[in-house]
Structure formats: C-alpha cells, structure tokens
C-alpha cells in the first residue's frame, strides 16, 4: 500500500480540499487503497486528507461487510434534519472520543468513480459518518465540534499527540 494515515496535528488535516477533476485509474486505485486502510484500522469512514491527499472524496463502511463499502466523490450535504449527540472518534486522532452533536438525517449529493452524480438519504450512524467525513474535506475535526468542557478534558492527550508529531518530509500527494 502506498498510502498511510496522517495524524493530528498534521497541517494537512486543516486544509480545504480541492474538487476531484479526473475520474481515472489513479482515482480508482486511491479509493481501493483507502478502503483497505480503513478496514485494516477498523474505521467506519476515511477521507482523502487523512491519507495526505487534499482532494474532496471519502470512503465509508458502517457494517464492516465488503458489500457496504461506499465512495463519495465531491460530496455535498444538501439537506439535514433533526439533531442528536453521540461519541465520535477519528482515525487521525488516536485515543480520543468526544460527544458531537450532528443532524440525525441528511441527504448527500456526490459523484461515483465514473463521475456520475447521485443522491442518497440516510439517518443514524451513516448520516453521522457522512457529516464527519465531509467536515474533513473542509479541514474541520471533531475537536472543533465538541464542547469547551470536553476540549479541556482531552487537553493532555492532544498535547501528547502534538509532542509526538513530526512534519512529513515529502510533499503531499496531489
Ligand atoms: Zn475523522
């Protein structure tokens, strides 16, 4: 596998990503590797900036069954309703779980690997994952979506991640 996880506080996690323009073999290859990495880490979602690719796409799978793997390219959440708080973690921020308030249901509009536009409606965990991953494409992390009291509670764990962090020596893949 040629990709690896990017960890907090890597500045690449704070960038607004650019739209995907080419729906080609290299996109397909990247998505295959992202799905593999996500499943090896037992994650339910993984966005391109989390592997250092500053493009608007993410993969998810909320059941762990291969048939439920999904890809969303240039996604946009076009409708949200309801609100519910639940604990969230992030593969890029190890050992942290914080309560995050999200819409309960949402509609996403995105392109598939062929570049075709589609729309889907979800609620519960899948809707939460869509919101979490779409946030990544705008440089937004769960740390920005939780309460001040929670931020205080996780301060030491974040400090440890900040101490451990070494900036990548190679340029980010585009
Ligand atoms: Zn995340």
């Amino acid at each position: 596998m040629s990709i690896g996880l990017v960890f907090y506080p890597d500045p690449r996690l704070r960038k607004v990503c650019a739209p995907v323009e080419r729906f080609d073999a290299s996109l397909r290859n990247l998505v295959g590797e992202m799905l593999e990495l996500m499943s090896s880490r037992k994650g339910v979602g993984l966005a391109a900036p989390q592997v250092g690719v500053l493009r608007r796409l993410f993969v998810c799978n909320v059941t762990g069954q291969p048939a439920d793997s999904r890809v969303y390219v240039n996604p946009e959440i076009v409708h949200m309703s309801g609100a519910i708080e639940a604990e969230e973690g992030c593969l890029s921020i190890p050992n942290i779980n914080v309560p995050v308030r999200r819409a309960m249901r949402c509609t996403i509009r995105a392109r598939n690997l062929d570049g075709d536009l589609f729309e889907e409606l979800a609620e519960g965990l899948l809707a939460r994952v869509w919101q979490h991953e779409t946030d990544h494409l705008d440089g937004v992390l769960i740390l920005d979506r939780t309460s001040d009291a929670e931020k205080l509670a996780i301060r030491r764990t974040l400090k440890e991640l900040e101490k451990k962090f070494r900036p990548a020596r190679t340029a980010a893949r585009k």
Side-chain angles (χ1 to χ4, degrees):
M1 211 185 297
S2 62
I3 56 170
L5 271 178
V6 164
F7 294 102
Y8 172 87
D10 194 302
R12 289 173 288 178
L13 293 172
R14 290 307 199 176
K15 304 286 187 206
V16 175
C17 297
V20 169
E21 282 160 3
R22 287 199 192 93
F23 293 82
D24 58 8
S26 77
L27 179 67
R28 233 165 248 280
N29 185 50
L30 170 65
V31 163
E33 292 200 328
M34 285 172 64
L35 283 166
E36 202 180 311
L37 180 61
M38 177 180 71
S39 108
S40 77
R41 297 294 180 117
K42 309 244 182 295
V44 291
L46 182 67
Q50 292 183 275
V51 297
V53 177
L54 302 183
R55 291 285 176 176
R56 304 189 78 83
L57 77 134
F58 71 83
V59 296
C60 68
N61 187 323
V62 294
T63 67
Q65 299 298 314
D68 291 323
S69 289
R70 322 266 337 176
V71 183
Y72 300 85
V73 181
N74 297 340
E76 250 182 289
I77 290 176
V78 291
H79 184 73
M80 293 194 261
S81 64
I84 185 165
E85 193 177 78
E87 292 267 317
E88 275 181 38
C90 179
L91 289 176
S92 293
I93 317 173
N95 309 321
I96 296 237
N97 281 289
V98 288
V100 179
R101 194 175 169 81
R102 304 268 188 200
M104 202 160 16
R105 280 172 295 277
C106 58
T107 303
I108 195 165
R109 186 181 295 157
R111 292 185 186 275
N112 64 20
L113 285 175
D114 295 320
D116 303 323
L117 208 54
F118 66 93
E119 237 178 63
E120 276 177 17
L121 173 73
E123 59 175 71
L125 180 58
L126 184 56
R128 177 169 295 274
V129 171
W130 287 351
Q131 294 168 77
H132 177 120
E133 302 309 329
T134 307
D135 268 355
H136 271 300
L137 308 181
D138 292 318
V140 175
L141 301 174
I142 50 176
L143 311 173
D144 312 319
R145 296 259 187 221
T146 200
S147 66
D148 288 345
E150 285 297 331
K151 277 181 215 160
L152 206 59
I154 60 176
R155 206 178 37 172
R156 285 183 61 183
T157 316
L158 288 182
K159 276 266 179 297
E160 274 158 33
L161 290 173
E162 285 161 18
K163 259 191 270 171
K164 256 172 48 182
F165 175 67
R166 295 284 173 275
R169 255 174 288 167
T170 48
R173 263 177 64 178
K174 285 283 158 61

